């Protein structure tokens, strides 16, 4: 059996009891942390609490030809991932490949930012549209390239009065901040002639699941100057607000009354 075990939002204590039992009883334990990270812990702390040594898999070992997966034909193998195992298409692809190879699989779900963000912000979970990732800019032939995909996702959701959860890029040990994401979105919107986008309501969440979590609502242009502290960060762009959502953003995220008045349904 190949077990996909979610580790939750922030540190080694976020794993479920069911997940912990599987990790402790598995014949082999692997982990990958390039799709997401547990920022409140370390490999050493994970191993000490779980009572197991684990091998950290690289991106090629997950997305290429995963030779390690063959072990699951005859043994119980646990793959540990931050958040919930099936939020990432990388892990879904791996599970489907395992099934096609005739290997049994089982998923142990855990808390993740997609399920936590509505509770943190007070925004209703059924009013979130499609999410997107804000990637770091890249350079092609000396030209700086920005992805318009997150901006397009936001605008599509706004046209239907839906909220947008934006994941922020992780790349080579770099963690995009809410400030950087806001700068990118505003630069893309300015390029589209959407001058009012910078004043749109936004909510930044930093270190979800931790005791020093930070959540702040304000105009997007204001959030790019706010100090959210260490990663991981995500950004929410709300659509129109139910009166309870507006109240929640005021109380939970410090949104100014005058800013919210233009967004209530």
């Amino acid at each position: 059996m190949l077990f996909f075990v979610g580790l939750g939002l922030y540190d080694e204590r976020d794993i479920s009891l069911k997940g912990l039992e599987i990790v402790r009883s598995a014949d082999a334990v692997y982990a990958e942390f390039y799709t997401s990270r547990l920022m409140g812990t370390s490999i050493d702390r994970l191993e000490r609490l779980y009572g197991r040594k684990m091998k950290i898999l690289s991106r090629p070992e997950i997305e290429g030809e995963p030779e390690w997966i063959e072990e699951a034909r005859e043994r119980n193998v646990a793959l540990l991932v931050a958040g919930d195992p099936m939020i990432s298409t990388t892990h879904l692809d791996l599970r489907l490949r395992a099934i096609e190879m005739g290997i049994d699989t089982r998923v142990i779900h855990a808390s993740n930012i997609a399920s936590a963000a509505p509770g943190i912000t007070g925004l209703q979970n059924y009013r979130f549209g499609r999410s997107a990732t804000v990637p770091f800019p890249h350079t092609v032939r000396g030209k700086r390239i920005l992805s318009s995909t997150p901006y397009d996702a936001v605008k599509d959701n706004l046209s239907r009065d839906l909220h947008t959860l934006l994941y922020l890029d992780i790349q080579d040990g770099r963690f995009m901040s809410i400030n950087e994401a806001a700068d990118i979105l505003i630069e893309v919107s300015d390029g589209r002639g959407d001058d009012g986008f910078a004043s749109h309501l936004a909510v930044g969440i930093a270190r979800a699941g931790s005791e020093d979590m930070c959540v702040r609502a304000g105009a997007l242009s204001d959030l790019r100057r706010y100090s959210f502290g260490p990663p991981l960060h995500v950004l929410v762009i709300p659509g129109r607000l139910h009166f309870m959502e507006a109240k929640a953003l005021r109380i939970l995220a410090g949104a100014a009354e005058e800013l919210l008045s233009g967004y209530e349904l």
Side-chain angles (χ1 to χ4, degrees):
M1 179 81 73
L2 174 60
F3 294 90
F4 293 84
V5 181
L7 299 181
L9 283 169
Y10 187 69
D11 63 25
E12 71 276 11
R13 298 169 297 170
D14 286 340
I15 191 172
S16 67
L17 288 176
K18 185 182 295 183
L20 184 59
E21 289 173 355
I22 287 171
V23 172
R24 287 177 172 172
S25 64
D27 297 307
V29 180
Y30 295 92
E32 76 82 9
F33 295 117
Y34 74 85
T35 54
S36 187
R37 306 285 178 88
L38 292 179
M39 301 305 294
T41 192
S42 65
I43 301 301
D44 181 63
R45 284 168 58 182
L46 289 170
E47 291 181 335
R48 279 192 280 117
L49 178 62
Y50 302 164
R52 297 299 305 273
K53 288 290 183 182
M54 62 185 70
K55 179 181 177 182
I56 309 304
L57 297 173
S58 65
R59 188 166 192 159
E61 287 176 308
I62 291 287
E63 296 182 347
E65 295 299 326
E67 296 179 4
W68 58 272
I69 205 175
E70 291 286 348
E71 295 181 51
R73 292 188 185 278
E74 305 294 337
R75 309 170 72 204
N76 286 329
V77 175
L79 175 65
L80 314 188
V81 300
D84 184 271
M86 291 298 121
I87 290 296
S88 170
T89 54
T90 296
H91 304 135
L92 172 61
D93 175 67
L94 188 60
R95 186 186 187 196
L96 296 178
R97 282 191 284 165
I99 293 171
E100 289 172 342
M101 293 166 64
I103 295 171
D104 291 332
T105 67
R106 184 179 171 194
V107 179
I108 309 301
H109 295 286
S111 57
N112 64 87
I113 192 59
S115 62
I120 291 169
T121 60
L123 298 174
Q124 295 165 348
N125 69 316
Y126 62 87
R127 296 196 58 232
F128 278 77
R130 71 183 180 100
S131 58
T133 297
V134 183
F136 283 111
H138 63 282
T139 303
V140 178
R141 300 188 188 92
K143 183 179 180 181
R144 183 168 173 270
I145 304 297
L146 297 177
S147 171
S148 62
T149 299
Y151 170 80
D152 291 335
V154 170
K155 295 297 287 188
D156 179 58
N157 286 336
L158 290 178
S159 71
R160 294 178 288 148
D161 284 337
L162 298 176
H163 313 316
T164 308
L165 174 62
L166 294 174
Y167 301 96
L168 307 190
D169 203 2
I170 299 173
Q171 193 177 106
D172 300 325
R174 296 172 61 205
F175 303 94
M176 182 180 289
S177 68
I178 292 163
N179 317 84
E180 292 172 297
D183 281 338
I184 290 170
L185 289 169
I186 291 171
E187 186 173 343
V188 172
S189 65
D190 286 348
R192 296 283 187 89
D194 187 1
D195 298 335
F197 190 73
S199 61
H200 197 284
L201 175 65
V203 189
I205 304 171
R207 299 173 303 286
S210 71
E211 294 181 3
D212 69 336
M213 179 185 69
C214 178
V215 54
R216 181 75 177 182
L220 187 62
S221 57
D222 292 334
L223 292 192
R224 64 179 176 176
R225 293 187 292 269
Y226 188 80
S227 178
F228 284 92
L232 292 172
H233 294 185
V234 294
L235 184 62
V236 178
I237 309 294
R240 300 285 297 283
L241 301 171
H242 181 272
F243 74 90
M244 284 296 291
E245 293 179 305
K247 181 178 181 180
L249 287 180
R250 186 176 69 252
I251 294 174
L252 300 177
E257 190 74 49
E258 60 270 19
L259 178 61
L260 294 173
S261 62
Y263 290 92
E264 291 194 60
L265 289 168

